[in-house]
Structure formats: structure tokens, C-alpha cells
């Protein structure tokens, strides 16, 4: 891996996991940057992939994502309860996915189980300079 990409991945992880802490809220899930790179055949766009681990009963809290971000979320483990504004609440199981349009308001993002972990892979197609990827709602 290129040294610059390693730094970018570390910063990406900090931006996402630190977003809740910036608003004085305790961390409720953990994230790990998996990949970040420019989409070479789409000038100005990048692909950023993040693994989100929800401990039993954990929640990400309501939030929005970067204004340019199109998101594809795929459940790897457990069950994830999710709701994007204008859509019904739904529980997604392993192998299921949902998408979020740019600027979507993510109202619910949580582990549906109080006893088992859940894990998803979130793939962002985003403008190169659009950050942070996740902004918690102000309380």
C-alpha cells in the first residue's frame, strides 16, 4: 500500500469514528477504513469503504453523510435496523443491502440485537474533497 493511502485510511477512520465524540456523545460503534482511492475514470470522484461494527445494542445515532456521497451498505454479520428519511424502518440481515442518495438523512442506524454483534460494509462514492463522511445530528 502506498504511504499516502495509509495516512488517508487512518484519517478516514478518525473522521468517521470521531464524529460522535465531537458532539459530546459516547462512541456507540466502531469503524475501520477498508479502502480509499480516486475513481480514475470519473474525474473528481473517490471510492471510500468503511466497515462498521455495532456491539450488541449499539447505535450510530441519527446523522447525514457528505453531501456528494452515494452510499451502498451491505450487512456482513448480524442484523442492522436502518431508516433513511422518507422510507420505513427496516431490519436488514446478512447479505441484504440498502442505498442512500446524496444528502440523505439517516434517522436510525443500529444493531437490531441486544446480545449479538452486527457488522456492515459501507461503500461511499463521493467527491474527492467532500469531508467528513458522517455528521451526527445536533441535539
Amino acid at each position: 500500500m502506498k504511504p499516502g493511502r495509509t495516512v488517508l485510511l487512518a484519517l478516514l477512520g478518525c473522521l468517521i469514528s470521531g464524529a460522535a465524540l465531537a458532539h459530546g456523545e459516547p462512541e456507540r460503534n466502531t469503524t475501520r477504513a477498508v479502502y480509499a482511492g480516486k475513481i480514475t475514470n470519473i474525474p473528481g470522484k473517490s471510492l471510500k469503504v468503511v466497515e462498521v461494527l455495532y456491539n450488541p445494542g449499539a447505535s450510530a445515532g441519527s446523522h447525514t453523510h457528505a453531501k456528494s456521497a452515494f452510499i451502498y451498505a451491505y450487512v456482513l454479520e448480524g442484523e442492522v435496523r436502518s431508516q433513511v428519511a422518507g422510507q420505513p424502518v427496516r431490519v436488514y440481515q446478512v447479505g441484504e443491502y440498502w442505498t442512500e442518495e446524496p444528502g440523505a438523512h439517516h434517522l436510525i442506524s443500529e444493531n437490531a440485537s441486544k446480545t449479538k454483534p452486527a457488522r456492515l460494509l459501507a461503500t461511499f462514492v463521493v467527491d474527492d474533497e467532500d469531508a467528513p463522511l458522517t455528521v451526527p445530528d445536533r441535539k
Side-chain angles (χ1 to χ4, degrees), residues 73-80 92-96 98 119-120:
Y74 181 84
V75 179
L76 299 168
E77 177 183 0
E79 297 179 334
V80 176
Y92 294 88
Q93 299 180 359
V94 174
E96 295 184 316
W98 70 91
R119 191 167 50 101
L120 67 82

Side-chain angles (χ1 to χ4, degrees), residues 50-124:
V50 178
E51 179 183 49
V52 181
L53 171 64
Y54 296 91
N55 291 321
S59 167
S62 60
H63 58 274
T64 55
H65 292 287
K67 293 202 180 296
S68 67
F70 175 83
I71 302 159
Y72 171 85
Y74 181 84
V75 179
L76 299 168
E77 177 183 0
E79 297 179 334
V80 176
R81 182 177 293 108
S82 181
Q83 181 184 24
V84 174
Q87 298 178 12
V89 176
R90 179 155 173 216
V91 175
Y92 294 88
Q93 299 180 359
V94 174
E96 295 184 316
Y97 69 91
W98 70 91
T99 60
E100 296 180 39
E101 295 293 323
H105 187 200
H106 203 157
L107 301 172
I108 298 172
S109 179
E110 63 190 12
N111 188 337
S113 172
K114 302 287 186 209
T115 60
K116 297 177 186 174
R119 191 167 50 101
L120 67 82
L121 201 62
T123 301
F124 293 73

Side-chain angles (χ1 to χ4, degrees), residues 29-49:
N29 60 42
T30 57
T31 59
R32 179 178 70 92
V34 176
Y35 175 81
K38 293 186 179 207
I39 303 174
T40 57
N41 64 336
I42 307 175
K45 292 288 185 183
S46 290
L47 184 67
K48 298 177 182 180
V49 182

